[in-house]
Amino acid sequence: MKHWLWGLLVVIPALLGGLVAVVFWLGWLPNSVAYLRADLGTLFLLLGLLAAGLLGLEWWRWARAERHKRYFISQLQTETANERHEFLRRLDHELKNPLMAMRAGLANLTGTSLEHQQQEIIDSVETQTLRLSRLLADLRKLAELEIRPLDCAPVDMTDLLQEVVSMTGERPEAEGRHLTLTLPQVPWPLPPVSGDRDLLFLLFHNLLDNALKFTRPGNTIEIRAFEDGARVVVEVADTGAGIPEKEASLVWNELYRGENARGVPGSGIGLALVRAISERHGGEVFLRTRLGQGTVFTLRLPAYQK
């Protein structure tokens, strides 16, 4: 039953009692005096029944709360188990492909005598090995985030973003992209953020790396930062392929690879790391996207308080 209905049921007897009392006080009905008499045995019996009723009501409320709590825990355990199953399924899929390629390459290597074919197979095995190494490294980073204590200190966001953008612009994948960084200068620069500089660097590196993967030469990638009250807001926007609406809420899951990610290198851990790092810093991250037009990732972090 809803809370307001319970409140109404509690108030109704008081209203009825007050209405009857007013009727007697105004003289509309004879206001006689009533006396109740009872022996001590009956009085204690009534007091005992009243106490038992109150205790029974309290026990019923406690039992009801416990049932709700057990139901909530059961639902949470079920959701966790489902998420774990889905994660393991994606992990199995991610590991299966490179391992099969490595096994096929090694099998072909033993059956060929041509030097250039051997080199191609060795290169393929090396590529898959590096892919597995990166995947395991990213999974380890994600696991460590849950228990790793943050080395919090004031982080100069202007300096951090300039460094990330500079490093990104030097990468071969950035060739042909229009990469811009917009930072406030007047009347004051961005305030610092309290956090772990290495983790925040990884966060923005992953966002820019994601933008590079899903844009083409001629596309634009913009990084915009500004102060919003007690928050520092950073937006990473691109004019890339965009994300299908049905996948927009799934890209944060570990190892999730959408339709547009087919054939694009990556482990499927980058955005999961972004969300985990953001949450560890008391921030939030969300996205807006339009298929065929682009995507905007918005990160909001608490500004450093002296």
Side-chain angles (χ1 to χ4, degrees):
M1 189 177 293
K2 296 182 179 180
H3 294 295
W4 66 267
L5 191 54
W6 276 112
L8 184 62
L9 290 176
V10 170
V11 171
I12 286 176
L15 293 177
L16 291 176
L19 181 62
V20 173
V22 169
V23 170
F24 281 114
W25 291 337
L26 293 177
W28 295 348
L29 292 174
N31 195 3
S32 303
V33 177
Y35 295 94
L36 296 177
R37 297 179 58 186
D39 57 82
L40 289 179
T42 303
L43 180 61
F44 277 102
L45 175 62
L46 293 175
L47 289 175
L49 292 174
L50 177 62
L54 292 175
L55 290 174
L57 177 62
E58 188 62 27
W59 175 85
W60 176 81
R61 292 176 58 190
W62 173 83
R64 185 168 177 266
E66 283 294 310
R67 285 196 301 271
H68 278 281
K69 184 168 69 173
R70 286 196 297 268
Y71 175 77
F72 175 77
I73 293 175
S74 175
Q75 289 293 104
L76 187 61
Q77 289 174 339
T78 301
E79 291 177 5
T80 302
N82 291 338
E83 290 176 359
R84 179 178 176 82
H85 174 75
E86 181 64 19
F87 171 77
L88 291 175
R89 186 191 66 78
R90 291 195 297 265
L91 178 61
D92 175 71
H93 176 75
E94 288 296 321
L95 294 179
K96 183 189 301 179
N97 290 339
L99 287 174
M100 289 179 62
M102 291 169 63
R103 291 179 61 185
L106 292 174
N108 292 334
L109 185 61
T110 59
T112 182
S113 59
L114 299 179
E115 184 176 347
H116 73 279
Q117 290 181 347
Q118 291 179 346
Q119 188 60 47
E120 289 178 358
I121 294 171
I122 291 174
D123 291 342
S124 174
V125 171
E126 183 178 6
T127 299
Q128 299 301 334
T129 302
L130 289 174
R131 180 184 173 190
L132 286 177
S133 298
R134 294 193 189 100
L135 174 60
L136 294 176
D138 287 342
L139 286 172
R140 184 164 56 250
K141 291 176 187 176
L142 192 60
E144 289 176 352
L145 272 176
E146 299 178 358
I147 58 175
R148 170 183 173 178
L150 292 183
D151 184 16
C152 289
V155 178
D156 186 333
M157 292 300 294
T158 298
D159 178 69
L160 177 67
L161 291 173
Q162 287 175 340
E163 182 180 349
V164 176
V165 172
S166 176
M167 290 185 61
T168 302
E170 295 174 356
R171 293 173 55 181
E173 300 92 326
E175 185 176 356
R177 274 84 166 170
H178 304 292
L179 187 61
T180 62
L181 172 63
T182 304
L183 296 170
Q185 301 296 330
V186 292
W188 52 75
L190 278 177
V193 166
S194 178
D196 187 312
R197 193 181 192 280
D198 292 338
L199 288 178
L200 290 174
F201 185 93
L202 176 62
L203 183 155
F204 291 111
H205 172 273
N206 283 357
L207 285 178
L208 285 174
D209 182 66
N210 189 77
L212 287 180
K213 289 177 181 177
F214 296 99
T215 54
R216 297 178 179 180
N219 287 150
T220 298
I221 301 174
E222 290 185 355
I223 300 90
R224 307 183 288 258
F226 56 91
E227 182 181 0
D228 183 18
R231 297 267 173 169
V232 173
V233 181
V234 182
E235 294 182 336
V236 178
D238 66 66
T239 57
I243 302 171
E245 183 179 353
K246 63 181 181 180
E247 297 179 1
S249 62
L250 303 175
V251 297
W252 308 105
N253 296 339
E254 299 89 343
L255 301 178
Y256 182 80
R257 305 278 285 171
E259 294 180 3
N260 289 344
R262 292 175 182 175
V264 178
S267 63
I269 302 294
L271 291 181
L273 278 169
V274 166
R275 183 176 64 174
I277 295 172
S278 170
E279 291 176 349
R280 284 299 308 273
H281 285 79
E284 56 183 350
V285 61
F286 49 93
L287 68 88
R288 308 189 308 276
T289 185
R290 292 182 182 178
L291 194 61
Q293 297 186 43
T295 303
V296 181
F297 286 92
T298 302
L299 175 72
R300 298 174 60 87
L301 291 170
Y304 174 73
Q305 301 294 329
K306 296 181 179 179

